[in-house]
Amino acid sequence: MDILPILASLRRHKVTAILLILEIALTCAIVCNAVFLIGLRLDRIHTPSGVADNELIMVRMSNIGGRSDVRARTLEDLAALRGIPGVRSAAILAQTPFGYSGTTSSIKLSSDQKLPTISYVSTYFGEGVVNAFGLELVQGRDFSADEYHWLQDLNLGLPGSSPRSVIVTEAVAKRLFPDGNALGKDVYIYDEPSRVIGIVRHLVTSQEWVPGQEDYSMILPMRVSPDAGMGGTYVMRTSPDQRDRVLDAAVAKLKGLDPRRVLTQKSTLEKQRATFFSADRATAGWLIATCAALLVVTALGIVGLGSFWVAQRRRQIGVRRALGARRVDILRYFQTENFLLATFGIVLGMGMAYGISLFLVLQYELPRLPAHYLPMGAVLLWLLGQGAVLSPALRAASVPPVVATRG
């Protein structure tokens, strides 16, 4: 079909055509970026933690008053928790995944290196972290008993006080030694050498992370107790169906050993993870609702404009029918007209989408909108336009030739 008559008709309805083009362009720009942001949020929500999420329970207690036998009582607590039926492992740790707080350190490859190779590596303290979290050790070994030191005995950052061994994630190992194997190599933490004795597959950071650095974590062989400067959380592994029972039993056991203790946290890691990502789920929900609303409004605009033009052109349509135009010709005319308007809007919307993406990159340090989202948005709006204009087009196609003879 020759599109020149369609373009000539659109020039006679410039205002309405321009408004529809702008509406489609705005929808294209916002939907492309919103869908990309939704994908980022969903990817973040489903970030692999590396730990046994559905098996871990956590209890945190606060002591009232000072105690002189903290270390002995800590070991007694752990022995009691390990004796609870259904507990596979128990440990007291300074940090847990998705806990909003934790300690970060930098890693260098030499003592005289001015800038660290990696900054802000989440540092996990505690005895038995690998076993307690259910981490996958892909290379090397876990810490031996003689490698552990009490955190209170170390003055981190002072010469000779840092641990001499470390376990890192694969992400950290590849960042430190992209062309080789990190196992057995010396790295510098707190400006002191530590040997990489093990590498785990994944271990998510204990707090917020920069995209792409969610696995920048390491484990140091340090025992902690509830009164350590960073506090301590009792972490236990059990089967998913026994978590509630074991959680109640653990609280009762700890309170029985010391009634003066106050319970400050009692949760599963799954619940803690859900709370950590609650804002991301809410943001994704709002973005989905925004996209749906924009698409509905755009579809209604196309339907309304199509119906308006059909009402205005009834006599013209009747004349064309009287001159031999078939119903399918009238239907194709309106669909082609809508396709052209949608195309103009999509081209303009792609430019706007790139501009919005550039603004988000500069202001919020988000990744740039991938190019494949633009054709995906174009196809979506083309299909939306063709579906929305179908009803008015069918009504136009049903106009009888006799309309041309009416006054």
Side-chain angles (χ1 to χ4, degrees):
M1 177 184 292
D2 190 358
I3 65 172
L4 292 180
I6 297 177
L7 294 176
S9 176
L10 290 176
R11 281 197 295 268
R12 291 193 296 268
H13 303 86
K14 291 181 181 178
V15 176
T16 52
I18 290 174
L19 289 176
L20 183 60
I21 289 172
L22 291 176
E23 183 179 16
I24 293 173
L26 182 63
T27 300
C28 178
I30 294 178
V31 168
C32 287
N33 281 280
V35 171
F36 174 55
L37 294 177
I38 291 170
L40 291 179
R41 293 293 177 174
L42 294 180
D43 288 343
R44 174 177 157 83
I45 290 172
H46 294 97
T47 298
S49 65
V51 306
D53 291 27
N54 63 341
E55 298 179 2
L56 297 184
I57 58 177
M58 299 169 295
V59 176
R60 192 177 183 92
M61 311 289 285
S62 292
N63 295 317
I64 299 177
R67 300 191 317 180
S68 58
D69 57 346
V70 172
R71 298 181 183 180
R73 295 299 296 270
T74 299
L75 298 176
E76 182 184 6
D77 290 343
L78 291 175
L81 294 175
R82 290 167 183 152
I84 297 175
V87 173
R88 299 177 185 175
S89 63
I92 180 169
L93 310 178
Q95 302 89 7
T96 57
F98 315 115
Y100 291 102
S101 63
T103 301
T104 60
S105 308
S106 59
I107 302 179
K108 299 179 180 179
L109 295 179
S110 63
S111 58
D112 57 352
Q113 186 175 333
K114 293 183 178 180
L115 297 177
T117 305
I118 310 181
S119 302
Y120 306 110
V121 181
S122 186
T123 309
Y124 283 87
F125 301 146
E127 185 174 4
V129 174
V130 174
N131 190 36
F133 281 165
L135 301 177
E136 181 184 357
L137 192 64
V138 293
Q139 291 187 57
R141 61 176 177 84
D142 197 357
F143 299 113
S144 60
D146 59 350
E147 290 177 295
Y148 283 98
H149 301 275
W150 287 97
L151 178 60
Q152 298 94 321
D153 292 342
L154 299 178
N155 295 314
L156 298 180
L158 296 180
S161 63
S162 298
R164 291 292 178 261
S165 55
V166 62
I167 295 176
V168 300
T169 61
E170 278 189 327
V172 171
K174 291 178 181 178
R175 179 69 179 83
L176 292 172
F177 302 97
D179 300 326
N181 189 357
L183 190 65
K185 304 289 181 60
D186 284 339
V187 296
Y188 285 77
I189 306 169
Y190 306 111
D191 292 324
E192 292 288 319
S194 297
R195 178 152 297 178
V196 177
I197 65 165
I199 301 174
V200 295
R201 180 81 65 191
H202 295 291
L203 178 54
V204 72
T205 66
S206 60
Q207 52 195 328
E208 288 289 348
W209 59 79
V210 175
Q213 299 182 10
E214 58 275 7
D215 259 357
Y216 278 15
S217 302
M218 63 180 173
I219 308 169
L220 295 180
M222 298 182 183
R223 296 188 181 98
V224 297
S225 59
D227 71 337
M230 300 173 190
T233 301
Y234 295 95
V235 177
M236 291 150 280
R237 281 183 65 197
T238 184
S239 58
D241 59 330
Q242 298 189 67
R243 287 178 298 180
D244 293 337
R245 179 189 62 79
V246 171
L247 194 55
D248 293 335
V251 173
K253 182 72 70 172
L254 293 173
K255 293 287 286 184
L257 292 173
D258 186 354
R260 296 179 301 169
R261 285 191 272 207
V262 177
L263 177 67
T264 58
Q265 181 187 17
K266 173 186 173 184
S267 179
T268 65
L269 187 63
E270 279 191 338
K271 292 181 180 178
Q272 183 164 293
R273 178 176 183 138
T275 301
F276 185 85
F277 289 120
S278 59
D280 297 278
R281 284 193 299 273
T283 300
W286 278 110
L287 289 173
I288 291 172
T290 300
C291 290
L294 281 172
L295 292 174
V296 169
V297 170
T298 302
L300 292 176
I302 294 172
V303 171
L305 184 59
S307 300
F308 173 72
W309 281 348
V310 169
Q312 276 197 330
R313 300 171 180 174
R314 283 183 62 84
R315 187 168 183 178
Q316 176 187 346
I317 295 169
V319 170
R320 291 195 61 193
R321 290 296 311 281
L323 294 175
R326 300 168 299 170
R327 290 189 176 185
V328 67
D329 296 326
I330 304 300
L331 181 64
R332 188 184 301 118
Y333 177 92
F334 279 92
Q335 288 181 319
T336 304
E337 183 179 65
N338 177 268
F339 182 82
L340 291 175
L341 290 172
T343 300
F344 295 148
I346 288 168
V347 172
L348 178 59
M350 287 182 176
M352 294 171 63
Y354 179 80
I356 293 174
S357 174
L358 186 60
F359 172 79
L360 295 176
V361 170
L362 296 176
Q363 295 297 320
Y364 301 101
E365 298 182 356
L366 293 176
R368 182 171 296 180
L369 177 70
H372 66 268
Y373 278 87
L374 298 178
M376 289 171 56
V379 171
L380 174 62
L381 287 170
W382 274 324
L383 293 176
L384 178 71
Q386 293 300 297
V389 82
L390 183 60
S391 177
L394 288 174
R395 288 201 303 272
S398 64
V399 174
V402 71
V403 172
T405 64
R406 294 176 182 172

